[in-house]
Amino acid sequence: MQPDLLDLHVLHHFRTRSPLTHCMTNDVVQTFTANVLLALGASPAMVIEAEEAEQFAALADALLINVGTLTSPRAQAMRRAIESAVAAGKPWTLDPVAVGALAFRTRFCQQILTLKPAAIRGNASEILALAGMSAGGRGVDTTDTAASALPAAQALARQTNAIVAVTGEVDYVTDGQRTRTIPGGDPLMTRVVGTGCALSAVVAASCSLPGDRLDNVAAACGWMKRAGSVAASQSAGPGSFSGAFIDALWNLEAQA
Amino acid sequence: MQPDLLDLHVLHHFRTRSPLTHCMTNDVVQTFTANVLLALGASPAMVIEAEEAEQFAALADALLINVGTLTSPRAQAMRRAIESAVAAGKPWTLDPVAVGALAFRTRFCQQILTLKPAAIRGNASEILALAGMSAGGRGVDTTDTAASALPAAQALARQTNAIVAVTGEVDYVTDGQRTRTIPGGDPLMTRVVGTGCALSAVVAASCSLPGDRLDNVAAACGWMKRAGSVAASQSAGPGSFSGAFIDALWNLEAQA
Amino acid sequence: MQPDLLDLHVLHHFRTRSPLTHCMTNDVVQTFTANVLLALGASPAMVIEAEEAEQFAALADALLINVGTLTSPRAQAMRRAIESAVAAGKPWTLDPVAVGALAFRTRFCQQILTLKPAAIRGNASEILALAGMSAGGRGVDTTDTAASALPAAQALARQTNAIVAVTGEVDYVTDGQRTRTIPGGDPLMTRVVGTGCALSAVVAASCSLPGDRLDNVAAACGWMKRAGSVAASQSAGPGSFSGAFIDALWNLEAQA
């Protein structure tokens, strides 16, 4: 990977500012998400009760909404958090896990899509579904390549004014006009739960940084790709990969 | 362990079919359960809101019901998921965590036991309690050996038509007539949270495979025993064991 | 660290008695908390439905209340568990995560503070807030040193009759009269989510041991400091630290 994709300049901002990142995410990836953010120097906090989520979203630097294990109470709390973040001028990021495949979360995501997300990060099936060009996924898996969803991502970015990252073997990050391409990573990343969800949390945090948001989101994708490549080269399987991946994020500058 | 207990034939089926496994499990073991399924080649998905759980249980290949951190809303969602799975002809598996020790979950498990589980996986205390021969456990621990619960497991299997796996130092898998014995593993497995719960998820997924369900469930137990032995031999304690265990599942064929 | 701070005598009690520890804790640290308790020889159980929590709190040896991802239903279940534990003469421990920064949990913690906790474990900001001398934190981070919160910890201990542990670069454990100082550990501990929360679980379990509760809680802090130092010396980053930390807890006696 070229140094410009790793983007040490944005990483320096990230580590220095240590964005306080309000994560409303699914039950499966909470620990991994927090540890990814901590390894990169951010400050994660998971706050979920509606009253607290509303209060905290205005205090935090960034908000992540991940619908992986959405429930009715969680959806209400998320909506209040989003409205609070928007009112306070704080960016929020959507990870539309398995949207298209399941009706309840699809309705919810379509509703909150009108609330001005700063960024959206999903796999090809999810981005296609969110853009109304659904091909149908199988739960959290995607049956489409990221490249095939790029037109959908660009349309979604223009429709919502969000930065849209459609990730897979290659990641594409677009604002509807410009598109960044981020290669790298390793297939082992798909055999550890939460790498995509954690990327969304890093994207959320990166949206709070100064500078061009497209570059900041692309940098976030680049860090994860780079750490995935490094960790895969040091691993005997997904078990050792998981720890090596966190270490690689921690040591990104040394590996550049 | 003999190759027949590891059962590479069933493992090949498992990896090829990649069962989409709907896990409704407890809050403590979500990540580990997902990573165990991913390392074996399955496709896990945790979907918990009642409406979604009902929809997804019919789409998935298999359903896991684990009552470790049962709540009232979760119990309602589980019931709808089970009914949906049964209606769609999809197998569901029960992990009756701490049944017998706690009244709320014991009542719930007795109710859903009538809904035709494909398999039940528990420790000795749990299987004894579920079979109405309770000796009483201490939370999630068992004070009985798996062998002492074998008659209860066989009776439970005949009563429910489920495959019953009672696991411990030695695992026993029975359909009420035939019984498979699976030795191996390592005591370190009891010092890492979720090895039993994750086994139940693998059992659930294995119930979706073609062939003799007794053999498929016994094979699932054998994979976990084998990975436990391999990982223990490579570990300095339960911390390093956890990653080595996932790696060992990933590399099972190479170690056979 | 001197052997007396590691306190092998208390550790021997802990491993022998294997306290059954009822953890009502936040969604982010469930797995790590369970694995820390297991590595030290305790028996963790997460039971959260109000009816079950009330029943189990009377059966368990100790109860942990951690408000990190508090919700309304969880708060009600916690209150019933606390009342049950107190009625049964079982000690309960409070981890007031982010108290002071968020109104809902602050009100809840002030209410349950009257229910005779055996111990309270928090960072400087949390202890200052609980003692009514709040300086304000930034989510789960602390902007104060533990030493600066020692007077607040001592006042809180006298007010509640609890052992209060205010932890940070140096830990202080006080009963309001006597104070133990526990140095050691490593900054990497702050880059892995849950080390503080898991310490609170160990403190909770240690409150069930015979002997001087101040010494028992100080010993718990000492074990975690020692394991943190050992693990940091073996780690390339927070990813490898996490597993090494669990291993170090498992092997504490050998490293003394």
Side-chain angles (χ1 to χ4, degrees):
Chain A
M1 182 179 302
Q2 307 103 296
D4 62 325
L5 285 173
L6 177 52
D7 211 327
L8 294 174
H9 182 70
V10 181
L11 182 58
H12 178 73
H13 272 153
F14 195 95
R15 294 215 196 271
T16 306
R17 290 179 172 253
S18 183
L20 180 59
T21 309
H22 181 185
C23 299
M24 301 184 79
T25 188
N26 72 69
D27 297 339
V28 192
V29 304
Q30 304 250 357
T31 313
F32 190 70
T33 299
N35 282 333
V36 162
L37 287 172
L38 286 167
L40 283 166
S43 184
M46 281 66 174
V47 175
I48 57 172
E49 172 71 13
E51 178 194 322
E52 286 200 343
E54 179 178 321
Q55 184 187 359
F56 191 61
L59 300 174
D61 296 312
L63 171 65
L64 167 70
I65 300 292
N66 173 309
V67 299
T69 51
L70 193 67
T71 61
S72 287
R74 199 67 63 90
Q76 290 170 24
M78 285 175 172
R79 180 179 271 280
R80 284 179 62 178
I82 293 169
E83 288 169 352
S84 173
V86 171
K90 306 299 177 70
W92 73 276
T93 292
L94 174 64
D95 186 333
V97 178
V99 156
L102 294 164
F104 174 72
R105 66 184 65 189
T106 303
R107 291 195 307 271
F108 178 69
C109 286
Q110 283 165 343
Q111 289 165 8
I112 61 175
L113 210 54
T114 62
L115 300 175
K116 302 187 189 307
I120 301 166
R121 201 293 312 168
N123 66 27
S125 297
E126 292 156 357
I127 297 300
L128 284 164
L130 216 52
M133 311 176 188
S134 185
R138 202 183 74 133
V140 295
D141 290 339
T142 184
T143 47
D144 307 283
T145 67
S148 71
L150 181 53
Q154 291 165 328
L156 187 62
R158 284 190 295 267
Q159 176 201 327
T160 59
N161 276 321
I163 303 296
V164 177
V166 52
T167 63
E169 204 175 328
V170 173
D171 294 351
Y172 299 92
V173 179
T174 184
D175 63 2
Q177 314 299 328
R178 302 170 296 162
T179 297
R180 301 272 184 273
T181 303
I182 301 104
D186 190 276
L188 260 186
M189 296 176 80
T190 67
R191 294 285 112 195
V192 174
V193 80
T195 51
C197 296
L199 169 55
S200 296
V202 180
V203 164
S206 78
C207 284
S208 73
L209 299 180
D212 186 335
R213 187 164 286 166
L214 181 73
D215 289 340
N216 292 341
V217 172
C221 293
W223 306 333
M224 300 290 272
K225 286 287 197 192
R226 176 67 180 171
S229 300
V230 170
S233 71
Q234 300 170 342
S235 304
S240 44
F241 176 88
S242 187
F245 181 74
I246 300 286
D247 282 356
L249 290 172
W250 177 256
N251 294 307
L252 270 179
E253 292 90 339
Q255 294 150 347
Chain B
M1 183 179 301
Q2 307 102 297
D4 62 325
L5 284 174
L6 177 52
D7 211 327
L8 294 174
H9 183 69
V10 181
L11 183 58
H12 179 73
H13 272 153
F14 195 95
R15 293 214 196 270
T16 307
R17 289 178 172 254
S18 184
L20 180 60
T21 309
H22 181 185
C23 299
M24 301 184 79
T25 189
N26 71 69
D27 296 340
V28 192
V29 303
Q30 304 250 358
T31 313
F32 190 70
T33 299
N35 282 333
V36 162
L37 287 171
L38 286 168
L40 284 166
S43 184
M46 280 66 174
V47 176
I48 56 172
E49 172 71 13
E51 178 195 322
E52 287 199 342
E54 178 178 320
Q55 185 188 0
F56 191 61
L59 300 174
D61 295 313
L63 172 65
L64 167 69
I65 300 292
N66 174 309
V67 299
T69 51
L70 192 67
T71 61
S72 287
R74 199 67 64 90
Q76 290 170 25
M78 285 176 172
R79 181 179 270 280
R80 284 178 64 177
I82 293 169
E83 288 170 350
S84 173
V86 170
K90 305 300 178 70
W92 73 277
T93 292
L94 174 63
D95 186 333
V97 178
V99 156
L102 294 165
F104 174 71
R105 66 184 66 189
T106 303
R107 291 196 307 271
F108 177 69
C109 286
Q110 284 166 344
Q111 289 165 9
I112 61 175
L113 211 54
T114 62
L115 300 176
K116 302 187 188 307
I120 301 167
R121 202 291 314 168
N123 66 28
S125 296
E126 292 156 357
I127 298 300
L128 284 163
L130 216 52
M133 310 175 189
S134 184
R138 202 184 73 133
V140 296
D141 290 339
T142 184
T143 47
D144 308 283
T145 67
S148 72
L150 181 53
Q154 290 164 328
L156 187 62
R158 284 190 294 268
Q159 176 201 328
T160 59
N161 275 322
I163 304 295
V164 177
V166 52
T167 63
E169 204 175 327
V170 174
D171 294 351
Y172 300 92
V173 179
T174 182
D175 63 4
Q177 313 299 329
R178 301 170 296 162
T179 297
R180 301 273 184 272
T181 303
I182 301 103
D186 190 276
L188 260 186
M189 296 176 80
T190 67
R191 294 285 112 196
V192 174
V193 80
T195 51
C197 296
L199 169 56
S200 296
V202 179
V203 165
S206 78
C207 286
S208 73
L209 299 179
D212 187 336
R213 188 165 284 168
L214 182 72
D215 289 341
N216 292 341
V217 172
C221 293
W223 306 333
M224 300 290 273
K225 286 287 197 191
R226 176 66 179 173
S229 300
V230 170
S233 71
Q234 300 171 342
S235 302
S240 43
F241 176 89
S242 188
F245 181 74
I246 299 286
D247 282 355
L249 291 172
W250 176 257
N251 294 308
L252 271 179
E253 292 91 339
Q255 294 151 347
Chain C
M1 185 179 300
Q2 308 103 296
D4 62 326
L5 284 174
L6 177 50
D7 210 327
L8 294 173
H9 182 71
V10 181
L11 183 58
H12 178 73
H13 272 153
F14 195 95
R15 294 215 195 270
T16 306
R17 290 177 172 254
S18 184
L20 180 59
T21 309
H22 181 185
C23 300
M24 302 185 79
T25 189
N26 72 69
D27 297 339
V28 192
V29 303
Q30 304 250 358
T31 312
F32 190 70
T33 299
N35 282 333
V36 162
L37 287 171
L38 286 167
L40 284 166
S43 184
M46 281 64 173
V47 175
I48 57 171
E49 174 70 14
E51 179 194 321
E52 287 199 342
E54 178 179 320
Q55 185 188 358
F56 192 61
L59 301 173
D61 296 313
L63 171 65
L64 167 69
I65 300 292
N66 174 308
V67 299
T69 52
L70 192 67
T71 61
S72 287
R74 199 67 65 89
Q76 290 170 25
M78 285 176 172
R79 180 178 272 279
R80 285 178 62 178
I82 293 169
E83 288 170 352
S84 174
V86 170
K90 305 300 177 69
W92 73 275
T93 292
L94 174 63
D95 186 334
V97 178
V99 156
L102 295 165
F104 174 71
R105 67 184 65 191
T106 302
R107 291 195 308 270
F108 178 69
C109 286
Q110 283 166 343
Q111 289 164 8
I112 61 175
L113 210 54
T114 63
L115 300 176
K116 300 186 191 308
I120 302 166
R121 201 292 312 168
N123 66 29
S125 297
E126 292 156 357
I127 297 300
L128 284 164
L130 216 52
M133 311 175 186
S134 184
R138 202 183 74 135
V140 295
D141 290 339
T142 184
T143 47
D144 308 285
T145 68
S148 71
L150 180 53
Q154 291 165 329
L156 187 62
R158 285 190 294 268
Q159 176 202 327
T160 59
N161 276 320
I163 304 295
V164 177
V166 53
T167 63
E169 204 175 329
V170 173
D171 295 351
Y172 300 92
V173 179
T174 183
D175 63 3
Q177 313 299 328
R178 302 169 297 162
T179 297
R180 302 272 183 272
T181 303
I182 301 104
D186 190 275
L188 261 186
M189 296 176 79
T190 66
R191 293 285 112 195
V192 174
V193 80
T195 51
C197 296
L199 169 55
S200 296
V202 180
V203 164
S206 78
C207 284
S208 72
L209 299 180
D212 186 335
R213 187 165 285 166
L214 181 72
D215 289 341
N216 292 341
V217 173
C221 293
W223 306 333
M224 300 289 274
K225 286 286 197 192
R226 175 66 180 171
S229 299
V230 170
S233 72
Q234 300 170 343
S235 303
S240 43
F241 176 89
S242 188
F245 181 75
I246 300 286
D247 282 356
L249 291 172
W250 176 256
N251 295 308
L252 270 179
E253 292 90 339
Q255 294 151 347

